[in-house]
Amino acid sequence: KERRSAMFKDIDIVFVDEAQDLTEAQLALVEDHNDRHWSSILVYDFRQRLYGFRHAASEAYLRGLPSVAVLHLTSSWRFGGRLASLASALVRHHSNTTATVGVPHVVGNHERITHVREVRDIPFDEVCGVGGCLAIVARSNRSLFSLAVAALACPSVKHLSYSGDEDGLFSAFGGRDSLLDAVALRMGCSAHQMCDQKGRAARFADLGYVAYRMAASSAGWRGDSEACAMVDRYGSALVDIVRRLVVLVTASPSLPSVCLLTVHAAKGGEWRHVYVHTDLQRMRRAMHGDDLSFQLNLVYVAVTRA
């Protein structure tokens, strides 16, 4: 209580942006009416709520906050009419209705033209071939790594960005060394021949790769399981793939490039050329139950904020 009083001393209005990503405790600092001497303005979009796993406040909690007025801000300067129509369709789907009355309609920037189209192949050459940057948004890190491998086959891609650095590219596997150790174990290498001689893969040098993969699956070692999935897919070729990927990541970012991002990392990026990966489409088809709202939010953010 004393800390809150000191925080908002001499403050008349508190403005809270991205309120859908805050916890109830954080919002209570602003919204609790005990000894409150300020007004507050909260800005949030239920469709952009992606941090439920971090205990972000629920939609019901936000709707239940007392208010003098609720204003729906549905205009966006980020994109043109075609993308606005797609966003509106997603909002209607969120609302589980085909009605247009009472459901917010997203209005785009009439001065901006945004092209929306479905493509069969990832447009590496189309964008990077003319010196541009292609942002690729996907749900999973496994998908993004596979996309990085696909980029190797395109000569026009001169730089690869993944979470900003070389290590980020291999973060899904516990790092580059963990991925290479899984390959080494598959090839029958001894523990002393591995990058991390105290790592999990090295501990299975005597038992073998199959035992390591089964242990990773049963124990819930996510990074190890992801590494095994890549080893099963690419085999010993992963050693050369990793080497070539490191070269691309460490190249100059001023060169024609590809940015690989999860939906969470892509939010607010506003790249000129964006490709939404098909793993979001497959996820959309599989949605059901309590996951429905969160999964739709991922799709909504991927197509409107990247």
Side-chain angles (χ1 to χ4, degrees), residues 210-289:
V210 174
Y212 169 63
R213 184 180 60 188
M214 291 176 63
S217 177
S218 60
W221 301 338
R222 186 170 181 177
D224 298 83
S225 294
E226 292 289 347
C228 288
M230 292 300 104
V231 172
D232 292 341
R233 180 171 182 177
Y234 298 108
S236 59
L238 261 178
V239 176
D240 184 60
I241 287 173
V242 169
R243 179 190 62 79
R244 294 170 62 198
L245 287 177
V246 170
V247 171
L248 272 186
V249 172
T250 55
S252 172
S254 63
L255 297 170
S257 60
V258 170
C259 295
L260 301 174
L261 309 121
T262 61
V263 177
H264 291 79
K267 183 178 178 182
E270 299 182 38
W271 282 271
R272 183 174 177 85
H273 303 281
V274 179
Y275 173 86
V276 178
H277 188 45
T278 53
D279 70 349
L280 282 161
Q281 183 179 13
R282 293 194 298 270
M283 174 204 70
R284 170 69 189 85
R285 292 169 179 166
M287 288 187 299
H288 58 84

Side-chain angles (χ1 to χ4, degrees), residues 51-64:
Y51 295 95
F53 62 91
R54 294 182 184 171
H55 309 293
S58 66
E59 180 175 337
Y61 179 87
L62 288 167
R63 290 191 184 276

Side-chain angles (χ1 to χ4, degrees), residues 86 89-97 139 276-289 291-300 303:
L86 176 57
L90 284 168
V91 170
R92 287 198 301 273
H93 195 78
H94 252 299
S95 306
N96 195 27
T97 179
R139 183 194 185 198
V276 178
H277 188 45
T278 53
D279 70 349
L280 282 161
Q281 183 179 13
R282 293 194 298 270
M283 174 204 70
R284 170 69 189 85
R285 292 169 179 166
M287 288 187 299
H288 58 84
D291 291 335
L292 180 62
S293 181
F294 170 70
Q295 310 289 21
L296 274 169
N297 285 359
L298 284 176
V299 177
Y300 179 84
V303 301

Side-chain angles (χ1 to χ4, degrees), residues 28 51 59 85 89 99 116 132 156 171 178 183 194 206 222 237 244 250 271 285 301-302:
Y51 295 95
E59 180 175 337
S85 296
V116 180
S156 60
S171 60
S178 295
V183 181
M194 296 185 187
D206 294 333
R222 186 170 181 177
R244 294 170 62 198
T250 55
W271 282 271
R285 292 169 179 166
V301 170

